[in-house]
Amino acid sequence: MIITLLICWLTLPHRIAASQAPNPQPVDAMTGTWVLDRSRSEGLTGGLNGAEIQLVVERQGVELSVEQVVRIRGRQVPAQPLRYRLDGRDSTAEVVRPLAGTLELAARLLEKGRVLDLKSTISGDDQGKPVTLETRETWELIEKGAQLQIVRVREWNGRTQQSKLVFRRP
């Protein structure tokens, strides 16, 4: 009995420290630099069809920063990181693409953090007509975490475009 109490007393600081240590979440495995695997991707249209696409994902606390670096015919298209909050609160970003205005950003972790659901919405004016563009992305690691699959659905003016993007580590 005394030995059991002594062992519990000696290991108590280690157990307390372990319980307070931040637990890495599956979304942390999505961070880093990813390059588009064109052979496994589907639904790329327009300028993105022949573009080189790199995804840079960083996490700081409850903030997830996502930057899509696009090169078309060797030239980099201007981009800015979008910052999503993982604590359930929405965020905003001032952008000039795809429309000029305020982009509303929302993120949710699903399936115990294995799936990341990102949503962005912007309303603006396109050639004198009001338009709302909503993009929803579902992120999931596949191939034992070696690849990142993003299913992207974009809706605007009654039209829908869907693509599947598969990224790998460089």
Side-chain angles (χ1 to χ4, degrees):
M1 173 80 170
I2 293 176
I3 293 175
T4 303
L5 288 172
L6 183 60
I7 290 172
C8 287
W9 182 76
L10 290 173
T11 61
L12 183 62
H14 298 288
R15 288 186 292 171
I16 290 172
S19 70
Q20 293 175 345
N23 292 327
Q25 294 184 6
V27 72
D28 292 333
M30 295 178 187
T31 61
T33 301
W34 300 88
V35 294
L36 182 68
D37 183 344
R38 190 166 302 290
S39 68
R40 300 209 46 213
S41 299
E42 303 168 3
L44 291 169
T45 60
L48 294 181
N49 194 26
E52 298 172 38
I53 302 174
Q54 185 179 53
L55 201 60
V56 180
V57 183
E58 297 175 347
R59 179 176 181 189
Q60 289 187 336
V62 297
E63 190 174 272
L64 187 72
S65 171
V66 178
E67 183 176 9
Q68 183 173 286
V69 180
V70 177
R71 285 185 182 81
I72 299 175
R73 292 188 288 279
R75 293 185 168 214
Q76 186 168 326
V77 176
Q80 72 185 70
L82 299 178
R83 290 179 172 78
Y84 294 86
R85 296 190 57 90
L86 299 174
D87 61 359
R89 296 185 347 201
D90 293 350
S91 59
T92 60
E94 295 301 317
V95 297
V96 294
R97 288 183 182 199
L99 296 171
T102 302
L103 191 63
E104 297 174 22
L105 305 168
R108 295 182 308 158
L109 292 170
L110 307 172
E111 297 183 29
K112 297 183 181 179
R114 280 184 41 264
V115 175
L116 178 63
D117 180 57
L118 300 178
K119 178 182 168 186
S120 64
T121 306
I122 190 166
S123 295
D125 188 65
D126 184 29
Q127 299 176 359
K129 297 177 185 173
V131 62
T132 297
L133 174 65
E134 180 178 292
T135 303
R136 184 173 294 273
E137 295 182 346
T138 304
W139 292 28
E140 186 171 9
L141 291 170
I142 59 173
E143 303 295 328
K144 297 182 181 177
Q147 297 181 342
L148 173 64
Q149 176 178 282
I150 300 175
V151 175
R152 179 182 291 165
V153 178
R154 190 168 269 175
E155 296 179 343
W156 73 102
N157 290 351
R159 294 183 280 180
T160 301
Q161 175 189 8
Q162 182 168 334
S163 55
K164 179 179 87 170
L165 309 172
V166 178
F167 291 87
R168 59 176 171 71
R169 302 277 184 188

